[in-house]
């Protein structure tokens, strides 16, 4: 099973991925996590010669201009690498193609915590035709206004394989329970 998490920045995608990896893996089937942004993050880390501690710091402050990134925001650098370099040099599906290459070497179940483009889904769906599910995460105070990503149409994966979870609670236990209910629907059919 390939679970695509799709939602705006700060909507709870990383929390949902951890919930799936920690809880579903423990109880039913093993999951590993993959981030579409992994190749971009590695490029930034190498380009700026960042230590692991420095990289952790910029991850935690990705929406602030940072001195160690020469006054730029980490999120903006990743968007620029994706939109102005990778997609221009290759095509709009390049991060999806790289994801397939990375996923094929992993456990059979993977949660991709940051999908945001329809074109990225195409190579994943092609490589794993009946295994792709979309978990769309919404949150009232979050949107895509400062991000290049957007919500993925249900038609990308098939309407029977789409669940929507609204992260409108301050209680993480309620949110995680919603994630686990959505997963249970897919697992038990």
């Amino acid at each position: 099973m390939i679970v695509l998490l799709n939602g705006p920045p700060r909507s709870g995608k990383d929390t949902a991925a951890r919930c799936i990896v920690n809880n579903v893996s423990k109880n039913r089937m093993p999951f590993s996590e993959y981030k579409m942004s992994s190749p971009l993050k590695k490029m930034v880390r190498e380009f700026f010669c960042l230590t692991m501690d420095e990289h952790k710091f910029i991850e935690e402050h990705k929406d602030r201009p940072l001195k160690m990134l020469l006054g730029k925001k980490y999120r903006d650098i990743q968007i620029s690498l994706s939109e102005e370099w990778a997609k221009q040099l290759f095509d709009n599906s390049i991060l999806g193609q790289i994801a397939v290459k990375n996923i094929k070497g992993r456990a059979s179940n993977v949660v991709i915590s940051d999908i945001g483009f329809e074109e990225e889904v195409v190579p994943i769906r092609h490589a794993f035709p009946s295994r792709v599910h979309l978990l769309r995460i919404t949150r009232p105070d979050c949107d895509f206004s400062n991000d290049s990503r957007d919500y993925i149409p249900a038609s990308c994966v098939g309407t029977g394989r789409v669940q929507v979870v609204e992260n409108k609670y301050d209680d993480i236990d309620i949110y995680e329970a919603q994630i686990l209910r959505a997963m249970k629907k897919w697992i038990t059919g």
Side-chain angles (χ1 to χ4, degrees):
M1 178 182 292
I2 310 297
V3 176
L4 309 175
L5 301 181
N6 177 225
R10 306 253 181 248
S11 61
K13 297 180 301 293
D14 290 336
T15 300
R18 279 190 302 275
C19 175
I20 293 167
V21 169
N22 294 336
N23 294 292
V24 178
S25 293
K26 189 176 6 176
N27 296 325
R28 293 180 179 83
M29 51 201 323
F31 268 88
S32 64
E33 181 184 1
Y34 179 78
K35 287 184 173 286
M36 296 299 285
S37 59
S38 291
L40 306 173
K41 292 174 186 294
K42 288 178 186 176
M43 290 170 65
V44 173
R45 192 171 57 237
E46 291 296 319
F47 187 81
F48 287 97
C49 302
L50 300 172
T51 66
M52 291 308 285
D53 286 340
E54 289 170 329
H55 190 254
K56 183 178 177 183
F57 178 83
I58 66 171
E59 276 285 341
E60 292 169 356
H61 300 91
K62 59 185 156 197
D63 293 314
R64 288 187 10 212
L66 297 172
K67 193 174 198 172
M68 67 180 69
L69 298 177
L70 305 177
K72 301 294 182 192
K73 297 176 186 176
Y74 185 42
R75 184 183 307 276
D76 291 346
I77 294 171
Q78 290 178 79
I79 290 170
S80 181
L81 284 171
S82 171
E83 303 303 309
E84 298 171 26
W85 178 74
K87 291 179 181 179
Q88 298 301 315
L89 184 60
F90 301 101
D91 67 27
N92 289 346
S93 71
I94 186 61
L95 292 177
Q97 293 175 50
I98 293 169
V100 167
K101 184 177 178 181
N102 281 289
I103 291 170
K104 283 192 172 185
R106 292 175 176 236
S108 59
N109 302 299
V110 177
V111 57
I112 300 177
S113 61
D114 59 349
I115 196 113
F117 298 96
E118 188 173 346
E119 298 88 353
E120 294 172 344
V121 178
V122 173
I124 296 168
R125 188 185 65 225
H126 180 73
F128 310 99
S130 61
R131 297 179 46 211
V132 179
H133 301 271
L134 176 65
L135 185 60
R136 182 177 295 148
I137 300 170
T138 65
R139 189 171 183 168
D141 56 341
C142 297
D143 60 39
F144 288 103
S145 60
N146 291 319
D147 201 281
S148 60
R149 298 171 292 177
D150 205 345
Y151 284 116
I152 302 296
S155 59
C156 281
V157 295
T159 56
R161 292 183 250 159
V162 177
Q163 295 284 328
V164 178
V165 172
E166 187 176 7
N167 183 5
K168 62 180 180 180
Y169 305 101
D170 290 332
D171 187 336
I172 194 166
D173 293 330
I174 294 172
Y175 176 58
E176 288 184 347
Q178 291 178 293
I179 300 295
L180 295 175
R181 272 194 302 278
M183 291 299 298
K184 185 176 180 180
K185 285 182 184 178
W186 287 328
I187 293 168
T188 60

